[in-house]
């Protein structure tokens, strides 16, 4: 799916009790655990913690400033990890906060970051079966640009 960043964007508005924090060594394990939890609900996969964390140092697509972390009083509540190629690699909202606008705000944050980098579009992939994610992406103005089977029949 793709979001055209030349179109008007919604402002980033975090629900009450939430705050954006920088991705850091201190919250990296909690961020990774949330990504692993997200695979249980929405599919996909995340590498083991060490491989994933090391990619921030060795993979040019990984950029700590493009890993948007949101916390609530209980800890890491939502994360969007984006690649430098204007691609949203992973986005997860903890089940305790789903349906409260956190995903929309997180996407707005990612859209703003890429617009500031003079990107025209932001892309992501989503599983056909992940209906709640697809509805969220459609609500924030993302459109389908290609559909493909993961494992051709």
């Amino acid at each position: 799916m793709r979001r055209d960043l030349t179109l008007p964007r919604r402002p980033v508005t975090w629900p009450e009790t939430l705050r954006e924090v920088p991705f850091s060594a201190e919250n990296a394990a909690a961020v990774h655990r949330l990504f692993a939890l997200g695979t249980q609900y929405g599919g996909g996969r995340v590498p083991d913690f060490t491989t994933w964390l090391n990619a921030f140092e060795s993979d040019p697509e990984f950029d700590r400033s493009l890993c948007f972390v949101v916390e609530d009083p209980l800890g890491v509540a939502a994360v969007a990890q984006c690649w430098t190629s204007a691609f949203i690699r992973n986005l997860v909202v903890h089940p305790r906060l789903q349906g409260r606008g956190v995903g929309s705000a997180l996407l707005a944050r990612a859209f703003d970051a890429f617009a500031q980098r003079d990107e025209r579009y932001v892309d992501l992939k989503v599983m056909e079966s992940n209906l709640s994610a697809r509805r969220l992406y459609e609500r924030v103005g993302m459109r389908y640009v290609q559909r493909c089977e993961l494992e051709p029949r």
Side-chain angles (χ1 to χ4, degrees):
M1 295 185 78
R2 173 171 285 174
R3 174 62 157 86
D4 183 342
L5 298 177
T6 65
L7 298 174
R9 295 184 310 278
R10 297 176 186 168
V12 178
T13 306
W14 299 114
E16 202 170 311
T17 76
L18 297 184
R19 64 188 179 101
E20 184 179 352
V21 298
F23 174 73
S24 66
E26 291 76 27
N27 64 19
V31 166
H32 186 267
R33 281 192 302 274
L34 184 57
F35 283 142
L37 177 66
T39 64
Q40 295 174 22
Y41 294 96
R45 60 184 170 272
V46 63
D48 67 87
F49 177 70
T50 302
T51 302
W52 174 79
L53 188 60
N54 287 341
F56 282 99
E57 304 303 325
S58 62
D59 188 329
E61 282 278 25
F62 282 65
D63 181 338
R64 288 176 183 265
S65 70
L66 293 174
C67 188
F68 306 107
V69 181
V70 178
E71 292 183 345
D72 70 1
L74 298 177
V76 173
V79 182
Q81 180 185 357
C82 304
W83 282 343
T84 57
S85 58
F87 187 83
I88 299 172
R89 171 66 179 100
N90 286 307
L91 185 141
V92 179
V93 175
H94 196 283
R96 72 177 178 264
L97 292 174
Q98 290 178 358
R100 297 185 183 180
V102 179
S104 295
L106 200 50
L107 286 163
R109 177 66 178 92
F111 298 159
D112 282 352
F114 284 116
Q116 290 173 5
R117 290 174 172 236
D118 295 322
E119 297 288 349
R120 283 194 60 157
Y121 301 98
V122 173
D123 294 325
L124 59 75
K125 291 182 182 178
V126 62
M127 303 283 288
E128 275 295 319
S129 60
N130 193 343
L131 297 177
S132 60
R134 288 176 43 211
R135 282 191 287 263
L136 167 64
Y137 301 147
E138 290 168 359
R139 276 195 312 271
V140 299
M142 298 194 85
R143 300 291 173 246
Y144 294 96
V145 291
Q146 180 181 8
R147 288 189 171 160
C148 59
E149 293 182 38
L150 293 179
E151 296 180 24
R153 296 174 203 208

